[in-house]
Amino acid sequence: MQGNAPTPDGQVADAPADNWVDHYAPAETRPYLRLSRADRPIGTWLLLLPCWWGLTLAMLADQSPRWEDAWIAIGCAIGAFLMRGAGCTWNDITDRHIDGSVARTRSRPIPSGQVSLRGAILWMCVQALLAFGILLTFNRAAIALGVLSLLLVTIYPFAKRFTWWPQIFLGLAFNWGAVMIWTAHAGSLGWPAVVLYLAGICWTVFYDTIYACQDTEDDALIGVKSTARLFGDDTAKWLKYFLAATVALMGLAVILAVQPTGSFMALVLALAGPWAMGWHMAWQLRGFDQTDDAKMLQLFRANRDTGLIPLIFFVLALFV
């Protein structure tokens, strides 16, 4: 906390001090909003941005933006908030016996006793059903892909128990919107969306490895695996590889989407997106210090801006 301001009752340890949940939400709703990570909105952004990438690239590919795309963009935002909340609730349900042993997570609503297991399950179902209602407004192919994503969401919390690469499983789940929302616009899946999906997975490994650096000591004690533990002292070197892969794959996705029908200027503008994104990721690496938990959290949160950068260029390319 900054200054001498009191900590709100029940505030989660890694929530921003000035978050809206702890200061403005009705007291009875706060435990459930904390369970959904509404007090830490970065995760909603990280789930939403690949959706918007997929939508804007799909519009660039067929050069036919439509008014219904405005609803798709809004539906993505609402759905990302709801599904991120449902996914985080599921994650906390499955990790309820682990979170109490990790300094950063023992203040979460279930291990701290703010929400019962039954209450968490009901809350997860409410969020998932509302998100399903949003999904039903998309075309059939997108609906099918949305339902399929539940398999990835279900598996992810268990990945850290059986693989050193749980960040890849997070990437598979968090970037599914790139293929689903491309399909919501285009009516069918295309190779640019698949390559964009792979770029998003590499980006997720990049930012979530930074995030996982906060927990390496506790994770080692309780036997939880992560890329941060796997890479160890070579983490910064590995992050450079994922930076390069993110930029290269996103650049290829742009070329596949824009080059067949778009103008030369649209292609140049769209390609500037992954290039600028790479510079922002490189800036993060310049400040990387895996022994400084506060710095790692700051860099992780900076990835909202990282993901917004290519989106801005994709939108600009629509107008040339």
Side-chain angles (χ1 to χ4, degrees):
M1 296 293 291
Q2 297 176 349
N4 297 315
T7 301
D9 290 341
Q11 183 170 20
V12 176
D14 58 355
D18 58 351
N19 75 83
W20 71 274
V21 171
D22 292 322
H23 293 278
Y24 304 110
E28 61 273 13
T29 68
R30 290 176 188 173
Y32 294 95
L33 291 171
R34 290 169 185 146
L35 192 58
S36 299
R37 311 281 205 278
D39 54 344
R40 287 154 286 167
I42 178 61
T44 299
W45 280 107
L46 297 175
L47 185 61
L48 171 61
L49 288 167
C51 299
W52 283 350
W53 295 346
L55 176 61
T56 50
L57 268 193
M59 289 191 286
L60 281 167
D62 64 14
Q63 296 292 301
S64 61
R66 303 182 293 271
W67 280 111
E68 67 184 82
D69 293 324
W71 164 246
I72 293 175
I74 295 168
C76 285
I78 300 170
F81 178 82
L82 292 168
M83 278 309 298
R84 191 261 183 143
C88 288
T89 304
W90 170 241
N91 185 81
D92 282 10
I93 290 170
T94 60
D95 284 356
R96 62 189 183 278
H97 301 303
I98 294 176
D99 285 347
S101 302
V102 178
R104 186 178 56 81
T105 60
R106 64 171 57 106
S107 59
R108 288 179 176 175
I110 295 178
S112 65
Q114 297 178 55
V115 177
S116 67
L117 178 59
R118 180 175 180 272
I121 292 171
L122 289 173
W123 180 234
M124 177 184 68
C125 292
V126 167
Q127 294 171 96
L129 286 172
L130 290 172
F132 184 64
I134 299 292
L135 180 64
L136 290 177
T137 66
F138 298 158
N139 59 43
R140 290 184 179 180
I143 293 171
L145 287 170
V147 172
L148 187 60
S149 72
L150 293 177
L151 179 63
L152 299 171
V153 174
T154 301
I155 293 173
Y156 165 67
F158 302 101
K160 57 183 171 288
R161 295 165 170 83
F162 63 79
T163 177
W164 286 99
W165 295 87
Q167 279 67 29
I168 287 183
F169 283 83
L170 180 66
L172 289 168
F174 256 55
N175 294 280
W176 192 254
V179 295
M180 186 180 78
I181 301 306
W182 168 288
T183 305
H185 170 89
S188 61
L189 187 57
W191 280 111
V194 174
V195 178
L196 183 66
Y197 179 51
L198 296 175
I201 292 170
C202 292
W203 177 47
T204 300
V205 175
F206 178 90
Y207 67 66
D208 202 57
T209 299
I210 292 174
Y211 186 72
C213 286
Q214 300 173 87
D215 299 330
T216 50
E217 293 184 5
D218 287 332
D219 286 349
L221 288 173
I222 60 180
V224 169
K225 299 178 175 67
S226 72
T227 48
R229 286 190 62 205
L230 177 65
F231 300 157
D233 293 338
D234 293 327
T235 297
K237 181 179 72 174
W238 277 92
L239 291 179
K240 291 178 184 177
Y241 298 151
F242 285 102
L243 184 164
T246 301
V247 173
L249 287 166
M250 186 177 287
L252 178 58
V254 168
I255 292 170
L256 291 173
V258 182
Q259 190 275 331
T261 59
S263 69
F264 175 75
M265 281 305 301
L267 179 61
V268 170
L269 260 178
L271 281 173
W275 177 82
M277 180 182 186
W279 277 107
H280 195 270
M281 294 168 74
W283 166 79
Q284 291 182 55
L285 286 182
R286 286 196 293 273
F288 181 81
D289 179 359
Q290 64 197 93
T291 65
D292 185 342
D293 290 352
K295 185 65 175 179
M296 293 299 92
L297 183 59
Q298 178 191 8
L299 292 178
F300 167 71
R301 289 174 176 163
N303 279 277
R304 180 203 64 175
D305 296 341
T306 309
L308 281 170
I309 288 169
L311 178 66
I312 291 169
F313 283 96
F314 295 168
V315 171
L316 290 174
L318 288 170
F319 295 94
V320 298

